[in-house]
Amino acid sequence: MIDITRPIYPGVPVWPGDTPFSYELTWRIADGGSVNVGKLTTTTHLGTHLDAPWHYVDDGGKLESVPLEALIGPCRVVDARGQEALTVDFLKTIQLAERTLFYSGQPNRWETFPLEFMHVLPEAVQYMAAQGVRLYGTDAPSVDPLTSKDLPGHKAFARAGVYIVEGLALEGVAPGDYELICLPLRLEGAEAAPVRAILR
């Protein structure tokens, strides 16, 4: 099994202005407690995470609407390094799968949050959906540029009915076919959740 989940640790970079991650012990055996118990404070878009459609369209489905069948099954890892934006022309040069993960060259551990990364053009989303893609995975932190306010990529995915996993750790993973297991926390009513993603 290959773990393609970004590690979570104090100081892990998050989207600028979003809630930083913290973990602290609220009970300690060393202080006389019967157990050690921790408390998490975090954004739902932490590290490797699944976006629910409600994140980017107000009438979109919340996290519980995402079918597990979209998140588990055969997948393909594609080397997309050198692509500033994912285009139809590039997609025509590769084979797509129902679950396709794109490695754009992001390292598995960010020292600082990346300001530039591969985004997805709306027409590329339409093309992928027409080819049967149901889940789009990326090592980038978003499918739209950092400064985007209208989120054309996200909204194109919503219209196409394709789900999005962002922040995958794909450095060192050979392109090819795998089985994907990508399970979010069961946060009912949420717009996103961290996932544990592995390839087998």
Side-chain angles (χ1 to χ4, degrees):
M1 289 187 286
I2 305 170
D3 195 342
I4 55 170
T5 312
R6 290 183 177 275
I8 297 170
Y9 50 89
V12 62
V14 299
W15 192 274
D18 205 348
T19 305
F21 170 79
S22 69
Y23 168 79
E24 61 179 294
L25 284 175
T26 55
W27 294 349
R28 295 174 182 265
I29 295 174
D31 295 336
S34 57
V35 289
N36 291 315
V37 174
K39 179 179 77 171
L40 299 177
T41 303
T42 183
T43 171
T44 49
H45 298 263
L46 180 67
T48 308
H49 65 276
L50 170 71
D51 281 353
W54 188 49
H55 172 48
Y56 34 89
V57 286
D58 210 30
D59 60 351
K62 296 181 180 178
L63 196 62
E64 59 268 27
S65 74
V66 181
L68 292 179
E69 292 81 1
L71 306 174
I72 300 174
C75 81
R76 178 162 294 136
V77 175
V78 172
D79 188 339
R81 285 177 291 179
Q83 306 301 310
E84 180 180 338
L86 198 61
T87 64
V88 173
D89 286 345
F90 174 77
L91 292 173
K92 287 181 176 179
T93 70
I94 63 172
Q95 282 194 319
L96 294 166
E98 183 178 358
R99 301 161 197 84
T100 305
L101 314 181
F102 291 83
Y103 172 54
S104 68
Q106 290 290 329
N108 287 349
R109 191 179 182 103
W110 289 320
E111 298 305 321
T112 59
F113 195 85
L115 302 181
E116 295 184 358
F117 42 82
M118 184 184 77
H119 60 281
V120 187
L121 299 180
E123 55 267 31
V125 176
Q126 296 167 7
Y127 178 83
M128 286 189 285
Q131 302 302 310
V133 174
R134 193 176 183 194
L135 180 74
Y136 173 85
T138 177
D139 61 344
S142 178
V143 299
D144 283 300
L146 184 74
T147 56
S148 176
K149 300 301 181 189
D150 53 353
L151 305 178
H154 281 88
K155 291 176 181 176
F157 279 110
R159 289 191 299 271
V162 178
Y163 299 105
I164 304 169
V165 176
E166 296 168 329
L168 291 164
L170 294 172
E171 185 179 21
V173 177
D177 295 328
Y178 299 87
E179 178 191 15
L180 173 68
I181 301 170
C182 177
L183 297 177
L185 297 176
R186 195 171 181 177
L187 303 179
E188 292 191 1
E191 86 302 339
V195 302
R196 186 65 180 265
I198 64 169
L199 297 175
R200 191 158 55 177

